[in-house]
Amino acid sequence: MKKVPAVAALALCAMLAPVLAGAADAAWASHGTGAAAGAAYTMPAGTAPTATRSASTAAVTWSAATFQGGPAVAGYVVHRYDSASGAPSTVGGTCAGVVTAASCRESVPPGSWYYTDTPVQLGWTGGESPPGNTVTVPPT
C-alpha cells in the first residue's frame, strides 16, 4: 500500500470539511519527525441585540461576536420575530442576507417585534442570540 504524504491528507481534509456538515471533528496522522501544533476555534453565539424605532424604521445593533482569543466573525444573520406569537418574519433593508457589520436598519410593518442575531463564518453557524428588546410600530 502506498502512503499518502501528510500535506495531501491535510488538503483532502480541508476539501471535505464543508461537505461533512455534522459535528466538527478532525484527525490526521503524520509520519514525520519534529514538533507539530494545531488550533481550532469554536463558533460563538450571538449577543442580544438592541432595537430602536424611528417612524417605521428599526435600527438594530449588537456586540460583535469574536472567536475566543481570536478575530471577530465574518458576519451575522439577523432574524425578526413577532413578539406576541414568536413567529419569524422576513427581514429587509440592510438586515437581509449576511450582515458584515454589528448593526443594520430596515423598514418594519406595524406590530411588535424583537430581533436576534446569529454569527456566521464561511460554512459555519454559531448559536442564535437571546431575543433583544421589543420595538412597536403603530398602525398607520
Side-chain angles (χ1 to χ4, degrees):
M1 180 186 298
K2 189 175 181 181
K3 290 186 178 183
V4 177
V7 173
L10 288 174
L12 179 61
C13 287
M15 289 187 303
L16 290 176
V19 176
L20 306 172
D25 293 327
W28 60 87
S30 174
H31 301 287
T33 60
Y41 291 122
T42 300
M43 277 300 294
T47 59
T50 300
T52 57
R53 180 190 64 83
S54 175
S56 63
T57 299
V60 186
T61 60
W62 56 92
S63 298
T66 58
F67 293 104
Q68 186 175 5
V73 298
Y76 306 87
V77 175
V78 177
H79 298 95
R80 176 171 27 105
Y81 296 92
D82 182 288
S83 64
S85 68
S89 183
T90 303
V91 294
T94 62
C95 295
V98 175
V99 180
T100 58
S103 65
C104 65
R105 297 173 66 84
E106 71 159 344
S107 180
V108 184
S112 292
W113 310 96
Y114 67 85
Y115 290 85
T116 64
D117 60 272
T118 303
V120 294
Q121 178 85 17
L122 301 172
W124 298 95
T125 302
E128 185 173 17
S129 73
N133 63 299
T134 298
V135 293
T136 300
V137 177
T140 54

